[in-house]
Amino acid sequence: HTQINIDTKKDIFYQLLLENDINEYASFKAIVQSALKLAPEDPLLNLILGDICTKEHNFNQALVHYHFALKSSFVKDEYVYNKLIEIYFKNHNYDAVISTANDAIEKHPFSPRLFYLKGLAHINKHQYSIALVPLKEGRDLVIDNPNLKSEFYSLLGDAYHGLNNNEMSDESYSFALEYNNNNTFVLNNYSYYLALRGENLNLALDMTTRCNDLTKEAPNASFLDTYAWVLYKLEKYTLARNQIERALALNSTSGTLYNHYGDILYKLGEIKSAILQWKKALSLDRDNTNLKEKIHKYE
């Protein structure tokens, strides 16, 4: 008998999936697979197997099952669209993210998360002007969710920065912090871009200090690098050195960190050590002409 009652399937399989009892897991998977042989296009079974494959990091197979699951009216398709988009992001397949988000938005035009993911994919493709459109649409759909509103403004800040529009970028980051003043990525990016421009350095110092205070239980090399660079721009070179050394202890594979370390050491009068760090940076970033010039000039 090939027909399994839909409600029975829902109750049994979803209960098992939710409980995720490791002792029952292998047999549960086998039951679903054998049931799928009887009904290979059954959307619910495909959805369950899609989730199982995702748990097992078998993403290509998960995609196949999720696409079958979409062919049904009783499967919650927004969930499936989000799972597809999640896998496409893992695979850096941004074109697939965008087209899947477009399909999903047609059916769910008031779901801000879909607009957010579409905008993020465009930013990853360096399509900053195009990214602004879904990000503004999605932002205006967010109601009573300040953290999500903050994330939209954060991405808008990134997009405007990519377009070299500092005024709109700064404004977007400021709004992001109004909605969530603990948004560490905004605190970091905003302070770093101000430091690069040498503008509002005291504000930059407040933000990077706060960012690193919020992450002190799990320090982040990139955040510490920003802290060091703001201090460098404020000519607090000894303090800058402390932070860049902490950053390098966490990440010894970044050309940017070694480059900054070299610049800080140079300002402290340690020329030979500075050149050594610049050479390490150059080994990781071989086409950096600025590094080559510095090494040639001071060696």
Side-chain angles (χ1 to χ4, degrees):
H1 184 59
T2 60
Q3 293 303 307
I4 305 169
N5 179 282
I6 290 299
D7 292 329
T8 308
K9 278 193 299 197
K10 274 185 181 170
D11 292 346
I12 295 170
F13 292 136
Y14 269 123
Q15 203 49 47
L16 279 167
L17 197 62
L18 288 171
E19 287 169 4
N20 198 12
D21 183 344
I22 203 70
N23 298 318
E24 305 293 332
Y25 183 75
S27 57
F28 167 52
K29 183 181 174 185
I31 292 166
V32 179
Q33 284 174 322
S34 58
L36 199 66
K37 282 177 186 164
L38 299 173
E41 295 194 10
D42 183 282
L44 187 66
L45 292 172
N46 275 289
L47 174 59
I48 293 164
L49 263 182
D51 284 348
I52 289 171
C53 290
T54 301
K55 273 176 183 273
E56 294 175 344
H57 297 271
N58 183 355
F59 298 120
N60 288 338
Q61 197 54 45
L63 289 172
V64 174
H65 291 303
Y66 284 139
H67 278 292
F68 269 117
L70 278 178
K71 298 176 183 177
S72 156
S73 55
F74 64 80
V75 164
K76 191 167 185 286
D77 66 359
E78 194 175 350
Y79 171 82
V80 182
Y81 282 126
N82 277 306
K83 296 302 282 187
L84 286 169
I85 288 169
E86 195 181 304
I87 293 171
Y88 289 136
F89 263 119
K90 279 191 198 330
N91 294 339
H92 307 290
N93 187 347
Y94 303 122
D95 289 329
V97 170
I98 292 161
S99 76
T100 306
N102 283 335
D103 291 345
I105 285 166
E106 264 187 48
K107 294 185 178 181
H108 304 279
F110 301 110
S111 173
R113 178 181 157 79
L114 295 169
F115 289 90
Y116 177 88
L117 294 167
K118 181 181 172 183
L120 180 59
H122 281 299
I123 286 176
N124 278 307
K125 283 171 65 74
H126 307 293
Q127 296 173 332
Y128 302 115
S129 294
I130 301 171
L132 293 174
V133 180
L135 290 175
K136 287 177 182 176
E137 284 182 61
R139 171 199 64 190
D140 295 341
L141 292 171
V142 180
I143 299 156
D144 297 333
N145 188 341
N147 285 350
L148 184 56
K149 198 85 149 180
S150 178
E151 291 303 328
F152 268 101
Y153 276 113
S154 171
L155 280 194
L156 282 165
D158 294 347
Y160 281 121
H161 175 75
L163 293 166
N164 297 313
N165 187 336
N166 294 334
E167 188 183 344
M168 289 302 292
S169 179
D170 290 358
E171 184 182 285
S172 300
Y173 288 141
S174 296
F175 275 127
L177 293 173
E178 276 184 33
Y179 284 101
N180 175 13
N181 64 359
N182 290 341
N183 191 325
T184 51
F185 286 98
V186 176
L187 290 165
N188 178 70
N189 291 358
Y190 192 8
S191 52
Y192 187 62
Y193 296 147
L194 286 175
L196 288 180
R197 282 153 38 202
E199 295 176 14
N200 284 331
L201 291 174
N202 287 324
L203 171 63
L205 182 61
D206 286 346
M207 290 192 293
T208 186
T209 304
R210 178 167 178 73
C211 174
N212 282 283
D213 196 44
L214 287 165
T215 52
K216 63 176 183 275
E217 301 301 322
N220 178 308
S222 179
F223 295 172
L224 289 164
D225 174 53
T226 296
Y227 199 1
W229 203 238
V230 172
L231 290 165
Y232 171 87
K233 286 297 186 97
L234 285 163
E235 300 179 12
K236 300 182 180 190
Y237 302 122
T238 305
L239 292 173
R241 178 187 194 154
N242 294 340
Q243 299 307 330
I244 200 70
E245 286 177 352
R246 287 181 67 207
L248 278 163
L250 293 170
N251 178 5
S252 59
T253 61
S254 164
T256 301
L257 296 193
Y258 285 115
N259 190 6
H260 286 169
Y261 193 22
D263 289 357
I264 292 163
L265 291 171
Y266 174 77
K267 288 291 189 182
L268 288 166
E270 299 182 28
I271 313 299
K272 282 184 179 173
S273 299
I275 292 166
L276 190 67
Q277 300 308 324
W278 289 332
K279 284 183 173 176
K280 284 184 189 175
L282 189 62
S283 73
L284 294 161
D285 186 7
R286 294 190 178 279
D287 298 325
N288 191 319
T289 50
N290 174 259
L291 275 167
K292 289 174 186 172
E293 284 166 15
K294 277 193 290 196
I295 294 164
H296 180 69
K297 184 176 177 182
Y298 296 110
E299 200 166 25

